[in-house]
Amino acid sequence: MRMRTRVAIVGVVGLLVVGYLIWHVGFAAVFSAIFAIGWLGFALLYVLGLGLFALLGSAWWVLVPPPAAQGWRTFFWARMVRDSAAETLPFSQIGGFVVGVRAAILEGIAPAAAAASMMADITTEMVAQLVYVCLGIALLGATMKTAAGMPSTGWLITGVSLAALAAASFYAIQRYGGGMIRFFTARFLPQALEHTDAITSELQAIYRATVRIPASLLLHVVGWIASGASTWVAFRLVGAHIALNSVIAIDSLVYAIRSVAFAVPNALGVQEAAYAVFAPLLGVGPEIAIAISLLKRGRDVAIGIPVLLLWQTVEGKHALAAARSAN
């Protein structure tokens, strides 16, 4: 209950921040930019979002060795459920990870394989995001040299360095920390020792493969760049004619800040504030930046709600089948 209360409080604060930003910039200006996109423009963003899920699902799929791997569709679906839960429900990203594993298990993936591949997928996505952020910093520097002056990026470089250290530590624990994990599990959660051993074994099989990790990393890098490209399309649709490299610079920094604020449900307020801060550096008004953020949230909800309803239908069928088997 305490955790739920904290999540609710953080979520309400995030909504208040979003409301304040819209009020401060101007309701008319923000919603005028949103409505400028039209239904066809929003449909285009929707299709681009589905294409992005195809890349992200592929990055997860290539990690799972046979015979545990199912078809590509399984991981495409599980990734959609994972992100839909994180972006639509009042969960943090961690809640989305749990739901994504559950969706993969319901599609026939063994629990240990689902959990282990999810952990490896999170690792490759973290590293790919670091590559994307470094690309964004480089593009920002190149862009601002021809603009009004380059702001200090020392704090960005420091943040990237800390994130790289965290990613390296996360990888090291998965790859070489099996004995330590087993020791602490046996000491504090002995009932989970069998499951922990199975997950550790699956992780080792994934990391021993010479191609799977680089393939997943490459797909995630392409996915991050595709995400920036879809944001560029959104800017164009609302009438902001800025270069693709400038949008990627903004988008990478926004998602870096979102990652730091992973405990905030749906990054409410964080995403909007980040867009409002960074977009004016490249000559885009804050009303356009906030409109883009809200459009992306609208697209996520339009994808997420049907996905979660379908997932709940699958859960219901699974529960009924289990009840019949028990009787």
Side-chain angles (χ1 to χ4, degrees), residues 53-63 72 75-76 121 215-216 219:
F53 277 123
L55 278 171
L56 298 178
S58 298
W60 186 1
W61 174 58
V62 298
L63 288 170
W72 168 84
F75 296 91
F76 171 62
D121 183 58
S216 178
L219 285 167

Side-chain angles (χ1 to χ4, degrees), residues 61-209:
W61 174 58
V62 298
L63 288 170
V64 184
Q70 302 290 319
W72 168 84
R73 186 197 65 82
T74 294
F75 296 91
F76 171 62
W77 167 249
R79 180 65 198 230
M80 289 183 70
V81 173
R82 166 180 155 183
D83 282 17
S84 295
E87 297 295 335
T88 306
L89 299 177
F91 292 162
S92 67
Q93 292 183 35
I94 296 174
F97 296 152
V98 174
V99 172
V101 169
R102 174 63 180 170
I105 292 172
L106 288 178
E107 289 292 313
I109 305 296
S117 60
M118 170 72 76
M119 293 172 67
D121 183 58
I122 293 169
T123 305
T124 55
E125 189 166 13
M126 286 174 62
V127 176
Q129 186 178 20
L130 288 173
V131 174
Y132 186 53
V133 171
C134 290
L135 175 62
I137 293 173
L139 292 174
L140 182 65
T143 302
M144 295 303 292
K145 283 178 182 178
T146 61
M150 178 67 183
S152 174
T153 57
W155 64 276
L156 290 173
I157 295 172
T158 300
V160 169
S161 300
L162 292 174
L165 180 61
S169 301
F170 189 47
Y171 166 78
I173 290 172
Q174 295 173 71
R175 188 72 175 89
Y176 306 108
M180 179 182 65
I181 294 171
R182 196 177 197 282
F183 171 79
F184 283 107
T185 303
R187 185 177 180 87
F188 298 107
L189 290 169
Q191 68 274 18
L193 186 58
E194 182 179 351
H195 298 293
T196 301
D197 287 343
I199 292 172
T200 301
S201 176
E202 290 287 347
L203 273 172
Q204 296 306 310
I206 291 171
Y207 283 116
R208 278 196 302 268

